[in-house]
Amino acid sequence: MRAKVKQLKVEIKEVKKVKNDIFLLNFQSSYVARAAQPGNFLHLKLKSTILRRPLSIHRIKNNLIYMLFKVRGRGTRVLAKKKKNDQLDVIGPLGNGFKVKNGENSILVAGGIGVAPLLFLAQKLVKSPTFNVKRPTSKNIILMGARDRKEIVCEKEFKNLGFQVNISTEDGSKGEKGFVTDLLKKRLRTLDLGLRTNVYVCGPKDMFYQISKIVKNYENVNTQLSFEQFMGCGVGVCCACVIPAKAGYKKVCQDGPVFALEKIY
Ligand SMILES: Cc1cc2nc3c(=O)[nH]c(=O)nc-3n(C[C@H](O)[C@H](O)[C@H](O)COP(=O)(O)OP(=O)(O)OC[C@H]3O[C@@H](n4cnc5c(N)ncnc54)[C@H](O)[C@@H]3O)c2cc1C
Ligand code: FES
């Protein structure tokens, strides 16, 4: 069931630069900590832009809500300059979120800053009752791909949760040279696919089509995609966020941002 959406005025506790143009911000909210599911997002009001900006919930710890974001334009630039004790107007938690499934293999796939919602998902997966009731051959893996090493973040955090981390960069500056989809192809070939496998993906849309071509070769693989679409209202009114799905157009803010792959491709 979806949590009740609230508009909250929160006080920022910390904003810090993680790497280059990637920042981590946190604020305290016991309501969001209780209500949020992995894949949910928050819609932020920033004085510099008329429309709110959507950001995923990256991590929750002791009622602190973390958001990891890359500076892209006016909104995120202003957010990166926020300071401790600044106020933030937040609507959320919004969207459907990932269905946390108890597959024996869990593969998270992050394209660039698409890693943001996957840490919260990993936290939830680790806590799910059957996560540790594993077959000896089952695996928990995150595949992270980016243009170069400066965009690879959160390696340590996933390792601390017990995930194997595989990295690819397009320029070869870290991990394997190539795309994260190449890593997925390889990992699926080497996994024990007699076990149910859940693939959870977040990143640029171009990557999703490639992933659909890869996973359709496997029967026992279930894939969910989280879309980072441009948004207007964030609550299903304006249709700014629609994407074509098999059953007609879907609103990413309301029907998503997470969709089962077979509903789209
Ligand atoms: C559900 C959801 C969750 C998201 N979670 C995160 C997150 O956790 N961390 C994060 O860094 N980003 C996330 N995004 C993307 C984020 O919302 C945009 O980067 C942000 O709105 C850009 O605002 P801006 O004012 O800085 O840039 P703008 O001035 O609006 O745009 C600057 C440039 O960035 C590009 N751009 C803007 N928005 C997007 C987008 N949605 N996708 C691709 N390119 C875009 C535009 O082409 C433009 O050239 C998420 C998006 C959605 C829909
Ligand atoms: S952003 Fe307005 S309907 Fe989705």
Side-chain angles (χ1 to χ4, degrees):
M1 210 179 63
R2 288 193 194 209
K4 191 171 164 212
V5 173
K6 289 192 180 178
Q7 181 169 9
L8 305 163
K9 300 267 192 275
V10 298
E11 201 169 84
I12 292 172
K13 295 279 175 212
E14 189 183 27
V15 187
K16 70 173 184 193
K17 188 173 180 155
V18 178
K19 244 183 191 181
N20 249 31
D21 52 1
I22 299 178
F23 290 78
L24 185 66
L25 177 152
N26 71 51
F27 63 86
Q28 195 149 27
S29 168
S30 55
Y31 178 72
V32 177
R34 256 195 334 273
Q37 293 303 316
N40 283 163
F41 67 94
L42 301 170
H43 220 196
L44 314 182
K45 186 164 174 51
L46 301 162
K47 285 208 177 96
S48 56
T49 57
I50 296 167
L51 297 172
R52 287 175 179 265
R53 295 293 191 257
L55 287 183
S56 307
I57 297 169
H58 171 57
R59 171 181 205 194
I60 298 183
K61 195 178 175 195
N62 303 333
N63 288 341
L64 283 177
I65 315 301
Y66 289 79
M67 290 180 289
L68 181 79
F69 62 95
K70 182 174 166 138
V71 173
R72 274 179 167 139
R74 258 196 309 167
T76 43
R77 204 174 306 126
V78 163
L79 195 60
K81 288 188 182 139
K82 295 267 181 205
K83 298 269 178 295
K84 183 174 162 58
N85 300 332
D86 282 353
Q87 297 281 317
L88 201 54
D89 178 326
V90 167
I91 294 180
L94 288 161
N96 59 353
F98 289 101
K99 288 198 176 76
V100 177
K101 298 205 173 179
N102 297 318
E104 281 104 351
N105 294 316
S106 299
I107 308 182
L108 317 188
V109 184
I113 197 66
V115 72
L118 299 183
L119 189 64
F120 183 25
L121 173 66
Q123 280 187 316
K124 270 274 159 73
L125 280 168
V126 171
K127 282 190 194 140
S128 89
T130 55
F131 188 77
N132 291 315
V133 189
K134 301 191 271 199
R135 314 274 176 86
T137 51
S138 71
K139 297 272 186 307
N140 302 306
I141 302 166
I142 171 139
L143 310 176
M144 303 204 282
R147 233 169 262 147
D148 59 47
R149 60 181 298 128
K150 292 183 220 133
E151 286 189 16
I152 299 288
V153 291
C154 305
E155 246 178 293
K156 207 170 80 198
E157 288 81 351
F158 284 102
K159 282 186 183 155
N160 289 344
L161 290 171
F163 277 72
Q164 289 180 14
V165 180
N166 287 185
I167 292 169
S168 68
T169 49
E170 288 171 36
D171 67 354
S173 53
K174 188 159 181 144
E176 291 190 26
K177 188 170 191 302
F179 297 104
V180 71
T181 45
D182 301 329
L183 294 181
L184 180 64
K185 236 185 259 174
K186 280 192 201 158
R187 289 313 302 237
L188 285 174
R189 270 194 226 120
T190 57
L191 281 183
D192 177 354
L193 289 170
L195 304 181
R196 277 176 303 128
T197 298
N198 288 312
V199 178
Y200 305 88
V201 188
C202 187
K205 238 185 302 181
D206 305 347
M207 177 176 111
F208 294 167
Y209 176 60
Q210 298 304 323
I211 287 181
S212 74
K213 288 203 292 191
I214 297 167
V215 299
K216 76 168 185 231
N217 297 315
Y218 300 91
E219 259 178 28
N220 221 0
V221 173
N222 173 288
T223 305
Q224 298 176 57
L225 308 169
S226 182
F227 283 75
E228 285 185 357
Q229 190 72 357
F230 292 99
M231 280 191 185
C233 67
V235 289
V237 178
C238 72
C239 292
C241 65
V242 292
I243 54 163
K246 282 185 183 161
Y249 285 96
K250 294 285 170 194
K251 293 173 185 168
V252 169
C253 66
Q254 203 174 46
D255 305 313
V258 181
F259 295 86
L261 180 137
E262 64 276 9
K263 303 267 185 217
I264 309 292
Y265 297 101

